[in-house]
Short mmCIF file of all heavy atoms in Angstrom, two decimals:
data_model
loop_
_atom_site.label_atom_id
_atom_site.label_comp_id
_atom_site.label_asym_id
_atom_site.label_seq_id
_atom_site.Cartn_x
_atom_site.Cartn_y
_atom_site.Cartn_z
N GLU A 206 2.61 29.85 37.65
CA GLU A 206 2.88 29.70 36.22
C GLU A 206 2.17 28.49 35.59
O GLU A 206 1.89 28.50 34.40
CB GLU A 206 4.39 29.57 35.98
CG GLU A 206 5.19 30.84 36.26
CD GLU A 206 5.05 31.88 35.15
OE1 GLU A 206 4.42 31.57 34.12
OE2 GLU A 206 5.57 33.00 35.33
N THR A 207 1.88 27.47 36.41
CA THR A 207 1.32 26.24 35.85
C THR A 207 -0.07 25.89 36.39
O THR A 207 -0.60 24.82 36.07
CB THR A 207 2.25 25.04 36.16
OG1 THR A 207 2.32 24.87 37.59
CG2 THR A 207 3.64 25.26 35.59
N MET A 214 2.74 22.84 30.12
CA MET A 214 2.96 23.32 28.75
C MET A 214 3.44 22.16 27.87
O MET A 214 4.33 21.40 28.26
CB MET A 214 4.01 24.44 28.79
CG MET A 214 4.14 25.23 27.52
SD MET A 214 5.48 26.46 27.70
CE MET A 214 4.90 27.41 29.12
N ASN A 224 8.30 22.91 31.61
CA ASN A 224 8.62 24.30 31.93
C ASN A 224 7.70 24.79 33.04
O ASN A 224 6.51 25.01 32.84
CB ASN A 224 8.46 25.17 30.68
CG ASN A 224 9.03 26.57 30.87
OD1 ASN A 224 8.95 27.15 31.94
ND2 ASN A 224 9.61 27.12 29.80
N LEU A 225 8.27 24.96 34.23
CA LEU A 225 7.48 25.34 35.40
C LEU A 225 7.47 26.84 35.67
O LEU A 225 6.66 27.31 36.47
CB LEU A 225 8.04 24.64 36.65
CG LEU A 225 7.84 23.13 36.75
CD1 LEU A 225 8.75 22.55 37.83
CD2 LEU A 225 6.39 22.79 37.03
N PHE A 226 8.35 27.58 35.01
CA PHE A 226 8.53 28.99 35.38
C PHE A 226 8.28 29.96 34.23
O PHE A 226 8.58 31.14 34.33
CB PHE A 226 9.95 29.20 35.95
CG PHE A 226 10.20 28.40 37.19
CD1 PHE A 226 10.84 27.17 37.12
CD2 PHE A 226 9.76 28.85 38.43
CE1 PHE A 226 11.06 26.42 38.27
CE2 PHE A 226 9.98 28.12 39.58
CZ PHE A 226 10.62 26.89 39.50
N GLY A 227 7.70 29.47 33.14
CA GLY A 227 7.36 30.35 32.04
C GLY A 227 8.54 31.06 31.41
O GLY A 227 8.41 32.18 30.90
N ILE A 228 9.71 30.43 31.41
CA ILE A 228 10.91 31.04 30.82
C ILE A 228 10.86 30.88 29.30
O ILE A 228 10.75 29.76 28.79
CB ILE A 228 12.19 30.42 31.38
CG1 ILE A 228 12.23 30.58 32.91
CG2 ILE A 228 13.42 31.06 30.75
CD1 ILE A 228 13.44 29.95 33.56
N LYS A 229 10.97 31.98 28.60
CA LYS A 229 10.86 31.95 27.14
C LYS A 229 12.18 31.57 26.48
O LYS A 229 13.26 31.73 27.05
CB LYS A 229 10.38 33.31 26.64
CG LYS A 229 8.93 33.60 27.02
CD LYS A 229 8.46 34.94 26.51
CE LYS A 229 7.00 35.19 26.90
NZ LYS A 229 6.53 36.52 26.50
N PHE A 258 8.67 28.90 24.32
CA PHE A 258 9.17 28.71 25.68
C PHE A 258 10.20 27.58 25.69
O PHE A 258 10.18 26.68 24.86
CB PHE A 258 8.03 28.38 26.63
CG PHE A 258 7.08 29.52 26.86
CD1 PHE A 258 6.05 29.77 25.95
CD2 PHE A 258 7.20 30.34 27.97
CE1 PHE A 258 5.16 30.82 26.15
CE2 PHE A 258 6.33 31.39 28.18
CZ PHE A 258 5.30 31.64 27.27
N ARG A 259 11.08 27.63 26.66
CA ARG A 259 12.10 26.60 26.79
C ARG A 259 11.47 25.26 27.15
O ARG A 259 10.51 25.22 27.92
CB ARG A 259 13.13 26.99 27.85
CG ARG A 259 13.85 28.30 27.55
CD ARG A 259 14.92 28.61 28.58
NE ARG A 259 15.56 29.90 28.29
CZ ARG A 259 16.63 30.37 28.91
NH1 ARG A 259 17.19 29.66 29.88
NH2 ARG A 259 17.14 31.53 28.57
N SER A 267 14.09 21.88 34.73
CA SER A 267 13.41 23.17 34.76
C SER A 267 13.85 23.99 35.97
O SER A 267 14.12 25.19 35.85
CB SER A 267 11.89 22.94 34.81
OG SER A 267 11.19 24.18 34.85
N TYR A 303 10.25 40.29 35.26
CA TYR A 303 10.16 38.85 35.01
C TYR A 303 8.87 38.51 34.27
O TYR A 303 8.86 37.64 33.39
CB TYR A 303 10.22 38.08 36.33
CG TYR A 303 10.33 36.58 36.16
CD1 TYR A 303 11.57 35.95 36.24
CD2 TYR A 303 9.22 35.79 35.91
CE1 TYR A 303 11.68 34.57 36.07
CE2 TYR A 303 9.31 34.42 35.73
CZ TYR A 303 10.55 33.81 35.81
OH TYR A 303 10.66 32.45 35.62
N TYR A 309 1.46 40.13 39.32
CA TYR A 309 2.26 38.91 39.43
C TYR A 309 2.69 38.65 40.87
O TYR A 309 2.49 37.56 41.42
CB TYR A 309 3.48 39.02 38.52
CG TYR A 309 4.21 37.73 38.28
CD1 TYR A 309 3.68 36.76 37.43
CD2 TYR A 309 5.45 37.48 38.87
CE1 TYR A 309 4.36 35.57 37.18
CE2 TYR A 309 6.13 36.30 38.63
CZ TYR A 309 5.58 35.34 37.78
OH TYR A 309 6.25 34.16 37.54
#
Side-chain angles (χ1 to χ4, degrees):
E206 291 284 354
T207 63
M214 193 183 301
N224 191 324
L225 290 165
F226 299 96
I228 302 178
K229 291 181 179 176
F258 292 83
R259 300 183 182 189
S267 180
Y303 188 98
Y309 194 74

